Amino acid sequence: MTTMTKVASPDALTPRSPSRWRWAWRGSLMWLGLVGAAWGATALLVEPIDPASIRVIHLALSLAALLALVPWASLAAEREPELSGVARLTVVGGLLAVGLAPFGVIVIWHGVHHPDTWTGFLASDIVYYVANGRAVWERGDGWRYPNPFDTDPNAPVIYFHWVLWLLGTLCVQGGLTPVQAVAGVNLVGALALTGLTWGLVRVVVPAEQRWGRGPCYLITMWGGGVWTLWTFLAPSEALVPTTLVDPSIGLNLGTRSILAGNNDGFNGWFLIHWGRNVVFVTEAVYHALVAGAWLAAATGHWRWTVGLITALGATHPYSGFQHLAALNLFFGLTFLLGGRRGRAWLKTRWATVLTASLALGGFAWYYAGYLPSFAAHRALQSQLSLNWTLGWDRLAASAGPAALLALARLIVEGVRRLRNPERPWSLGPREGLWLTTAMVSVLLCKHEVLLETPKQPIHFDRGYIATPLLLVGLPLLGPALSWTARRTPAVLSCAVVGLAALDTFAWIASMGRYDTVGMTLDARERAVIAEVVAWRPEGVILFERLNHGLFAAAHGPIRPYAAHWHTPDRLKREAQVANLTRQAESLEVLDEVQGLVLSSPTAATLSRILELRGFQRRTVIEPWEVWQRDASARPPVNRR
């Protein structure tokens, strides 16, 4: 009689296969115990640390508690290939929810701490995107739009970006509020980005190492470099300040300030790590397009790759140029360096390669030929040519770990080939595209070294350096994390992912200190903006508080005198608004506007001058007043 022995699969939790649920529960509870102990220990640090930092530390520890989900992500990733139908959708949906969970904390935080005043917007640029979208229908031709902050009624209708068109269409044609439109598009983009990121990890990490897929996925979504460790451990004199950072934001530990969330300028809002981009409506969509393009390349569907990158080029100048250039450079390098095999590979895809070249050519014509032919755009472009940079130290801290991992994989592959020349390369076209993308992104992100007039170099990171390098290295990292998950206590997997996510968690926690991240308006401010929007003036409106003009432009066909970076002569106009009551020459602006929204003290100071110039009070909503030009007064002068 023959006895058959059942052999465990290589990714089983040997020798504890029947206990994998217990393994996950034990690891989660152990990790939560450690977080609870750390929370209690903060009571001993109240004296040397200011209360605001204590609050941020508590938020960071709350985020750390999410790492208790890592064992369950490992378990879900291991089971997912065996499931089908609703069960599989449930598991994948759970993985997507876990990937998004830390970033949802930002929204919840501001909703809880500003329940009566938060507008639902996290940053002023998101309001600006809606204003652009509205201009498609209210000042444009249904497809293109003028600069909504150009007060010239004849501003050229020349801009097209389909994501902004979508936001405007949902508001103007669909009847949604700006917050509803942004939230809907943001949610779809975030889910697409997270799902496609999971798809990338699932393709890159081999099936026999699927215990490592869960941690690899979370590292890709949550990972953020080693800047937090560097700022904490490095000598103070080694920390070189970056641009556009408020030094009051961060964790103040005695004399040590951890600006972990703010290492990329604008207090962290350039989103230089992949997963962070889910909180920004446009970037969520852009990154979903890139993730989809990379996944298509990883699975051999290069037509989809070109199509998605072309769609990106049709809606964003920075990311569009970055990825169109990387894709075309990859095809060119394959032709030049790929030998006979590379040229044969390109020959079978000649139509796809030609399409990519035409897309880059069309992009270049639009941004380098068509738009600069308009004086209004040339003036705006010179105003936006800013030296916003990412320092080499921050770039190294951000992308260095992923670069080392990619380098390790290249070395391992090279050694294997030396030992066995007949062994086929495991590196293919997809890795070529990812490495080319990382190279192009580094060059663009540091182009201030090459150009006298840089164009906001920091825009070209956004996770597009570290993430493709990480994807190259994941086949090396996946087996290590799979072995860790199968052979060690689950709490170790929590710690490994936590170390990779430290920067992102510190970034989210630092947002808890920066209360103005969530843009706020009280009930009276909302009422005065609604009054101006209901008025629907044909002329220009001067808002003493610039954000009022920004919100008004996002809610109706309002032309604010000054409101955003894209306002022509922005610095001059903002100075005029700020000095209305202090400099006589600033009063010249009154000849150019049809109405004003002023604080009551400013209105009291200027009331006699306003009346002499033909203005009268329209509405008073203390502490704000709306003034309009008397119909019998001479019309305002339209000046650029």
Side-chain angles (χ1 to χ4, degrees), residues 89-119:
L89 287 176
T90 302
V91 168
V92 173
L95 286 168
L96 302 193
V98 172
L100 289 172
F103 307 104
V105 171
I106 298 177
V107 177
I108 295 171
W109 177 268
H110 290 290
V112 169
H113 285 272
H114 307 284
D116 300 321
T117 61
W118 189 38
T119 60

Side-chain angles (χ1 to χ4, degrees), residues 5-20:
T5 304
K6 185 177 181 180
V7 179
S9 63
D11 55 355
L13 260 176
T14 56
R16 305 188 304 277
S17 295
S19 306
R20 55 187 176 183

Side-chain angles (χ1 to χ4, degrees), residues 262-504:
N262 310 316
N263 61 320
D264 56 352
F266 262 131
N267 303 312
W269 282 105
F270 268 109
L271 308 171
I272 64 173
H273 298 295
W274 183 257
R276 298 181 192 181
N277 289 275
V278 300
V279 304
F280 221 80
V281 56
T282 49
E283 292 299 333
V285 175
Y286 304 156
H287 282 68
L289 292 171
V290 174
W294 288 348
L295 180 58
T299 54
H301 297 88
W302 286 89
R303 284 178 294 182
W304 277 98
T305 299
V306 172
L308 291 170
I309 296 301
T310 300
L312 177 64
T315 196
H316 194 232
Y318 291 95
S319 300
F321 173 70
Q322 181 175 8
H323 291 282
L324 281 170
L327 183 61
N328 280 275
L329 179 60
F330 163 70
F331 288 146
L333 291 175
T334 301
F335 179 82
L336 294 173
L337 305 177
R340 185 178 303 172
R341 179 178 297 180
R343 285 187 282 275
W345 183 84
L346 289 173
K347 186 176 181 180
T348 61
R349 295 164 177 81
W350 67 269
T352 301
V353 175
L354 178 61
T355 302
S357 300
L358 292 174
L360 181 59
F363 181 95
W365 168 81
Y366 180 71
Y367 284 102
Y370 175 71
L371 290 182
S373 67
F374 295 89
H377 177 79
R378 292 197 302 271
L380 184 64
Q381 189 65 32
S382 64
Q383 184 172 297
L384 294 176
S385 296
L386 301 166
N387 191 23
W388 292 349
T389 62
L390 185 67
W392 285 109
D393 55 343
R394 287 159 177 80
L395 180 59
S398 168
L404 290 175
L405 186 63
L407 179 62
R409 183 174 177 212
L410 295 177
I411 292 172
V412 168
E413 290 297 326
V415 170
R416 287 175 177 172
R417 283 278 293 181
L418 287 174
R419 290 181 175 178
N420 182 10
E422 301 301 320
R423 183 182 182 276
W425 282 99
S426 66
L427 300 170
R430 68 186 189 188
E431 284 82 8
L433 175 62
W434 296 334
L435 291 171
T436 306
T437 299
M439 178 182 67
V440 169
S441 298
V442 169
L443 291 173
L444 292 174
C445 190
K446 296 303 297 178
H447 75 256
E448 76 275 9
V449 177
L450 305 173
L451 300 180
E452 291 184 4
T453 308
K455 314 291 185 183
Q456 304 178 31
I458 197 172
H459 255 301
F460 294 103
D461 193 329
R462 305 269 188 193
Y464 294 134
I465 299 174
T467 306
L469 293 172
L470 180 62
L471 291 173
V472 172
L474 279 185
L476 203 63
L477 182 64
L481 293 177
S482 181
W483 183 91
T484 301
R486 290 185 291 117
R487 305 288 183 177
T488 66
V491 71
L492 184 59
S493 295
C494 299
V496 170
V497 175
L499 183 62
L502 186 58
D503 265 17
T504 292

Side-chain angles (χ1 to χ4, degrees), residues 38-83:
W39 188 294
T42 58
L44 304 175
L45 302 174
V46 172
E47 290 300 326
I49 304 180
D50 64 276
S53 287
I54 285 290
R55 183 182 69 177
V56 175
I57 290 173
H58 286 168
L59 178 57
L61 290 173
S62 300
L63 290 165
L66 292 173
L67 293 166
L69 297 172
V70 171
W72 299 99
S74 291
L75 189 59
E78 189 270 339
R79 290 294 307 277
E80 182 260 344
E82 304 171 0
L83 304 174

Side-chain angles (χ1 to χ4, degrees), residues 48 56 86 93 99 167 251 285 322 331 370 411 428 493 520 529 535 550 568 606 639:
V56 175
V86 175
L167 290 173
L251 309 185
V285 175
Q322 181 175 8
F331 288 146
Y370 175 71
I411 292 172
S493 295
T520 58
I529 292 171
W535 172 18
L550 183 62
L606 296 177
R639 296 176 183 169

